[in-house]
Amino acid sequence: MDRWRVLSLFPLPAEQIRPLLGDLPERVDLTMLLHPSVAALHAALADAELVLAAWQGTHPLPFDAAAVAAAGPSLAFVQQPSVGTDSVDLDGLAARGVPVANTAGANARSVAEWAVGATICVARSMAWADREIRAGGWPQMDVVTRSLGEIACLRVGVLGFGAVGSLAASLFAAWGCQVAYWSRHPRPEAPFPWLELPALCARSDVLLLCLPLTPETRGLIGDAELGALPAGAIVVDVGRGGVLNPAALIAALDTGHLSGAALDVHPTEPLPPQDPLRTHDRVLLSPHAAGAAGQAVARVISQAVANIRRVLDDEPVHDVVNGIAPTVTRRR
């Protein structure tokens, strides 16, 4: 049997990614496109059988409808090396019978730890105090008056109770926080109470968003939800940009109803240079990197490569997200 043709869009130099692939390059014909043009991507897709897609949602050449159309008849499987699949045309690939898999849970601890750390940073005005001191100030008393204080006394509401949300809930609970959550369906095994969204907002000093971006979640948190939060609350978003309305967030911060926010994800990435969030002194910004701890990246690559090995070994792949059977059949 001929070697499978694998196309990698993973944005790491060859000398960095090859050691992470183990024996995979010895078992396949591997093509790596680090900085391709649209034309180069589409040309490579015409002959690819297996695709290791790009991991960052801001990849300049997402696996969109045009890429699906450019893919040749041999395309049999797409592995997304991340939890989110925003940059992949899932419906288009499903229509062609091509399974798409993600790396569910691989970076959950990294993201959950960032959520807790960011909450502490905002609640205690750490980043703001750092900037003030570097500018020549000494805002000792200002830190007291603008901060929420110890997080152990805070009530945390978690939106989305998947791998990230459930782990973050446990970490917050370990700090002494009172935790509740909302998801589309209550989880009987969850050790925390499930509340309807309005009730969750009404009791959350910290509102943590761990939701994917779907038609149902787009714009889910806006003026009404933020207005329902207790005065001085904090919003932390580690899910996907577009779930939280940024204009509503800025308005709630400007009125003083919210005391701060920490955002790892944004509706447009990179964040536009003139976006008002860039200059807001009550917002902690991160470049969609909460899940990018070195250990998490290694787990992401390991899970992605393991799935490609399953294809080579005629085994069902794991974590298919577009409803297609996990058995990958070679197409001639």
Side-chain angles (χ1 to χ4, degrees):
M1 179 68 70
D2 295 337
R3 291 151 65 96
W4 285 77
R5 299 185 298 278
V6 177
L7 172 64
S8 172
L9 305 179
F10 204 86
L12 285 178
E15 63 271 15
Q16 292 185 26
I17 192 173
R18 283 189 181 275
L20 300 174
L21 298 179
D23 65 343
L24 190 63
E26 300 171 7
R27 303 181 63 186
V28 302
D29 289 330
L30 180 64
T31 299
M32 303 184 69
L33 293 183
L34 296 178
H35 305 290
S37 64
V38 172
L41 172 64
H42 291 183
L45 284 171
D47 193 46
E49 296 180 286
L50 310 177
V51 174
L52 178 61
W55 74 328
Q56 76 276 47
T58 58
H59 194 275
L61 299 173
F63 208 112
D64 56 11
V68 174
S74 297
L75 181 65
F77 176 59
V78 174
Q79 173 67 52
Q80 178 65 24
S82 65
V83 178
T85 54
D86 303 52
S87 61
V88 181
D89 182 3
L90 299 180
D91 292 338
L93 289 164
R96 293 185 52 168
V98 176
V100 179
N102 69 353
T103 53
N107 63 359
R109 175 159 292 277
S110 179
V111 177
E113 288 184 357
W114 187 94
V116 175
T119 299
I120 296 172
C121 184
V122 174
R124 301 292 297 275
S125 298
M126 290 180 177
W128 176 83
D130 176 83
R131 292 193 298 270
E132 291 295 302
I133 293 172
R134 293 176 188 277
W138 191 253
Q140 189 175 51
M141 294 309 300
D142 293 320
V143 167
V144 176
T145 58
R146 68 179 278 135
S147 299
L148 284 181
E150 298 172 351
I151 71 166
C153 63
L154 301 180
R155 299 165 297 174
V156 177
V158 179
L159 270 62
F161 208 71
V164 171
S166 58
L167 180 54
S170 297
L171 294 178
F172 275 110
W175 278 85
C177 300
Q178 300 175 43
V179 178
Y181 78 98
W182 173 88
S183 61
R184 287 182 299 173
H185 306 290
R187 305 294 181 88
E189 74 282 3
F192 309 105
W194 179 92
L195 299 176
E196 295 281 2
L197 183 56
L200 186 77
C201 290
R203 54 82 68 197
S204 294
D205 302 309
V206 178
L207 187 66
L208 173 61
L209 280 61
C210 305
L211 293 168
L213 183 61
T214 67
E216 293 75 24
T217 64
R218 184 178 292 278
L220 180 67
I221 305 302
D223 291 318
E225 292 73 24
L226 297 178
L229 295 173
I234 291 171
V235 174
V236 179
D237 193 356
V238 296
R240 278 295 185 269
V243 176
L244 173 65
N245 183 320
L249 174 65
I250 291 173
L253 291 166
D254 287 345
T255 63
H257 178 65
L258 298 182
S259 66
L263 309 176
D264 182 54
V265 293
H266 315 276
T268 300
E269 296 181 355
L271 198 63
Q274 302 306 315
D275 193 296
L277 288 170
R278 284 185 177 268
T279 56
H280 207 293
D281 70 351
R282 289 189 175 271
V283 179
L284 176 69
L285 296 174
S286 173
H288 202 152
Q295 299 91 331
V297 173
R299 288 193 296 269
V300 165
I301 298 175
S302 176
Q303 287 187 210
V305 171
N307 249 0
I308 293 178
R309 285 201 184 96
R310 291 185 182 100
V311 175
L312 304 182
D313 296 335
D314 295 322
E315 299 176 359
V317 296
H318 294 181
D319 302 314
V320 173
V321 295
N322 67 337
I324 302 301
T327 301
V328 178
T329 302
R330 198 164 199 181
R331 303 178 178 191
R332 295 295 189 178

